[in-house]
Amino acid sequence: MSTLSTLVARHAALDGPDLEWLHLLVGDWQVLSDLAFADLVLWLPTADGDFVAVAQCRPSTGATVHYDDVVGATAPDGQRPQLQRSLDERAAQRSREPRWFGSYAVREEAVPVVRNGRPIAVLARQTNLGGARTPSRLELNYVEAADDIFAMVGRGEFPALDAPTGPRRGAPRVGDGLVRLNSEGEVLYASPNALSCFHRLGVVGDLVGRSLVEVTADLVSQEEVTVDESMPLVLMGRAPWRVDVESRGVALSLRSVPLTEHGQRVGAVLLCRDVSELRRRERELITKDATIREIHHRVKNNLQTVAALLRLQSRRMSSPEAREALGEAMRRVATIALVHETLSQTLDESVPFDDLVGRSLRLAADVATEGAHVRTTVRGSFGSIPAGDATALALILTELVTNAVEHGFEGRETGTVEVIVERQDDTIRVEVADDGSGLPADRSSGAGSGLGTQIVSTLVTNEMRGTIAWSNRESGGTSVVIEARLRAPREAGTLI
C-alpha cells in the first residue's frame, strides 16, 4: 500500500508544512474515529478535479464501514459533490439522507481540513447505522466531544503542533477512560472507566463539578513522589500533552486534548488509563537489565583476575614452552573478558562487534609479535552479533591472527593481516588473509595439528555450526575462510 507522502506527491502539489499538517492529523485521528464511532477517510483534491483517498482509519468502538482498504481509490460519484462543496465553502457538509453500502445505511459528513485559513483536504466521517439504537449517556458524550474536535479541524485548530502523536507505550485510548472538562478544568462528565481509574488512585466520590487538578494534587501531595511539572496543565486541559500520575501504588497515564473555538479555550477532553501493571513490569525489566549487566561486569572482572594469575604464574616458569602455553591461555581468557566487558555496557544480549574486534586483534598482534611490526585491518562490518556467537567468533579471530603473526612472518620485520567481512542478514563470511610465507608444502590445503587450530576448528564446527577452509593465496600468504549462520540472540548462550 502506498504511503500518505507517496500519494500526495503523486496527485497534488502540497508544500512541506501542508504535508506535515496532514501527517499530524493522521497520526492523531484514532481518537477522533473512536469518539465518533465512525470511519474516517482523508480525501485529497487532485489537479484534474477529482479526489483520491490518501489515508483511512477504522473505529475500535463501533462497526466499520469499509471492510476493504480504500487508500489510493478515487471518490465515488455519489460522494464527490459533497466533498467539493465542503472544500469550496470551507464548511462541514452532512448528507440529509444516509447512503446505502449494500445491506446497511451510512451517515456521511465531509469536514474541510484547514491550515492557515486554507482548505487543503477533506475529512470524510462515515458512521455505520446498521446497529443504530438509543445512545447511552457515554455515547452521547463521546459524540459531542467528537463534534467539537471536528469543528476544530474545520477551523484549522486541530491537530496541535506539540501534541503527542503516533503509538506510545501505555498511551490512553478513548475506551480506557474519558473525562470532559470545562474551561476552568472542572469535570463535566467522567466515563465509568475513568471513574474507576481515579477511584483506584484514591479519589472518593463522584468527579462531576470538582476541579480535577485540585483533587489529584491533594492525593499526590500525600505521597513522596516526584511530580511532573506539566501535570497541572494537563489536568486543567490547557496543553495537549501526556503525563503520568502516581499515588498509593497506582499509576495513571493522562492525555489532554484542549477544545478551542476561534482560538479561545472552551474545555478539554482528558483520556486516562491505568498503567500500574505496565509500569511495574517496566521497572522489573530495568532491574533485570541492570542485574544482567552487573553479572557480565563481574564475570569480566573474574576473567581478568584469572588472566593476571596466569601472567604471574608464567613469570615463575623456567621452561619456555610452559611460559608460552600460559601466555596463550592468558590471551584467550582476556579475549573472552573483552566480550563480557562489552555486554556489561549494553541493554541486550548482543555485541556491537566492530568495536570489540578492533581491540581484540590489536591485543593478539601486539602479544604475538617479537620485534616485527604487523598491521591488522578490517574490511567490511560485522554489525551486532549474538553474545554466544560473539565469544566464539572473537576467540576464532584472535587465534587466527595470532597464528598468522607467529608463523607467517618469521624473519620479516613488517607484514599485514586483513580481516574481510561479508554479512547478509544472519549469514556471515569472514576471511583472515595475510601476506606472509603461506602454508607449508606438506599441508598447503589444510590446518595444522596445534592447539590453536584445534580450538578454531572446534569453535567453528560446534559453536557456530559453520565451515572453515585454509588455503594459500596466489599473491603469497595464507587465507582462512569461515562461513556460518548466526543464531538469534535467544538461541545463543554465552561461552565462558
Side-chain angles (χ1 to χ4, degrees):
M1 181 185 293
S2 299
T3 64
L4 188 151
S5 297
T6 303
L7 289 169
V8 169
R10 185 184 304 163
H11 296 284
L14 292 184
D15 58 18
D18 286 346
L19 178 59
E20 180 62 22
W21 189 260
L22 296 184
H23 275 292
L24 287 173
L25 175 63
V26 169
D28 210 21
W29 68 350
Q30 187 63 56
V31 173
L32 262 177
S33 179
D34 291 343
L35 286 173
F37 305 96
D39 284 68
L40 304 181
V41 180
L42 184 62
W43 294 99
L44 182 73
T46 62
D48 57 3
D50 206 344
F51 289 86
V52 62
V54 294
Q56 73 177 103
C57 181
R58 297 181 177 90
S60 60
T61 52
T64 184
V65 172
H66 299 288
Y67 290 93
D68 296 324
D69 291 329
V70 299
V71 174
T74 55
D77 293 338
Q79 191 179 10
R80 192 178 297 114
Q82 182 191 49
L83 298 176
Q84 191 62 52
R85 283 197 308 272
S86 176
L87 196 68
D88 295 339
E89 299 177 14
R90 217 188 76 180
Q93 303 291 327
R94 177 171 291 188
S95 301
R96 295 182 179 180
E97 299 292 334
R99 190 155 64 95
W100 287 86
F101 280 65
S103 60
Y104 54 88
V106 174
R107 183 173 63 240
E108 294 183 313
E109 181 180 1
V111 179
V113 179
V114 177
R115 177 183 174 272
N116 290 342
R118 298 180 296 104
I120 57 176
V122 181
L123 183 61
R125 173 182 179 179
Q126 299 176 306
T127 307
N128 190 333
L129 301 178
R133 54 183 175 79
T134 303
S136 65
R137 186 185 176 198
L138 178 142
E139 292 168 338
L140 289 173
N141 276 277
Y142 275 20
V143 174
E144 288 176 6
D147 291 340
D148 291 338
I149 300 177
F150 274 109
M152 291 170 60
V153 173
R155 293 191 296 267
E157 299 173 356
F158 185 90
L161 292 176
D162 53 352
T165 60
R168 295 291 188 274
R169 186 172 177 83
R173 300 160 296 185
V174 169
D176 295 324
L178 177 138
V179 179
R180 294 183 66 192
L181 306 174
N182 63 14
S183 59
E184 302 300 321
E186 297 172 341
V187 178
L188 300 176
Y189 171 79
S191 71
N193 283 346
L195 276 175
S196 296
C197 286
F198 281 94
H199 285 167
R200 286 193 289 271
L201 196 67
V203 176
V204 178
D206 198 1
L207 286 175
V208 175
R210 302 168 68 179
S211 171
L212 194 61
V213 67
E214 293 179 2
V215 170
T216 308
D218 290 341
L219 294 174
V220 174
S221 63
Q222 302 172 15
E223 302 282 334
E224 295 183 0
V225 296
T226 303
V227 178
D228 195 316
E229 294 179 355
S230 63
M231 187 189 75
L233 296 176
V234 173
L235 290 174
M236 293 187 69
R238 293 180 180 272
W241 298 338
R242 186 179 300 151
V243 69
D244 279 5
V245 177
E246 295 191 27
S247 177
R248 300 170 53 179
V250 175
L252 296 187
S253 178
L254 305 173
R255 186 252 170 117
S256 171
V257 182
L259 302 178
T260 60
E261 189 172 335
H262 302 291
Q264 297 296 317
R265 189 170 53 84
V266 296
V269 172
L270 193 74
L271 305 180
C272 58
R273 178 184 178 186
D274 187 342
V275 292
S276 305
E277 186 64 20
L278 181 62
R279 297 293 179 259
R280 184 186 68 81
R281 291 180 180 178
E282 288 177 347
R283 285 191 290 269
E284 285 183 353
L285 288 174
I286 292 173
T287 302
K288 289 179 180 178
D289 286 338
T291 302
I292 291 171
R293 289 198 300 272
E294 178 62 22
I295 289 172
H296 284 302
H297 180 70
R298 294 188 182 186
V299 170
K300 182 262 296 184
N301 288 343
N302 291 338
L303 289 171
Q304 287 180 339
T305 301
V306 172
L309 292 173
L310 290 172
R311 187 182 302 111
L312 289 173
Q313 186 65 40
S314 68
R315 291 174 181 173
R316 293 176 174 269
M317 303 300 294
S318 58
S319 170
E321 292 81 4
R323 188 181 296 113
E324 182 181 353
L326 288 174
E328 291 178 353
M330 179 188 67
R331 185 187 65 246
R332 291 163 185 147
V333 171
T335 300
I336 300 175
L338 279 178
V339 176
H340 282 281
E341 181 181 7
T342 305
L343 286 169
S344 69
Q345 299 169 359
T346 184
L347 291 175
D348 52 19
E349 284 293 287
S350 60
V351 178
F353 202 77
D354 293 298
D355 294 335
L356 183 145
V357 75
R359 298 165 61 191
S360 178
L361 296 188
R362 283 194 299 271
L363 173 66
D366 291 343
V367 171
T369 54
E370 294 183 2
H373 177 70
V374 177
R375 186 168 62 99
T376 58
T377 63
V378 179
R379 183 148 49 98
S381 175
F382 287 91
S384 184
I385 304 291
D389 286 335
T391 307
L393 188 56
L395 281 172
I396 291 167
L397 294 177
T398 300
E399 293 294 335
L400 291 177
V401 171
T402 302
N403 187 68
V405 173
E406 288 181 343
H407 304 294
F409 301 106
E410 293 181 3
R412 293 177 51 179
E413 294 184 357
T414 61
T416 300
V417 179
E418 186 176 24
V419 178
I420 305 166
V421 189
E422 296 177 8
R423 181 170 177 182
Q424 183 68 33
D425 298 327
D426 61 346
T427 302
I428 190 168
R429 181 185 186 276
V430 182
E431 180 181 4
V432 179
D434 64 69
D435 56 0
S437 57
L439 294 171
D442 58 344
R443 49 184 180 91
S444 59
S445 61
S449 57
L451 178 60
T453 52
Q454 291 180 21
I455 290 175
V456 168
S457 298
T458 301
L459 289 175
V460 171
T461 305
N462 297 342
E463 290 296 325
M464 301 194 69
R465 296 171 292 180
T467 60
I468 184 169
W470 279 263
S471 64
N472 281 317
R473 302 174 69 188
E474 293 182 1
S475 58
T478 305
S479 171
V480 184
V481 177
I482 300 163
E483 295 182 350
R485 185 177 294 275
L486 300 175
R487 292 170 286 184
R490 63 178 179 274
E491 299 176 17
T494 302
L495 175 67
I496 299 178

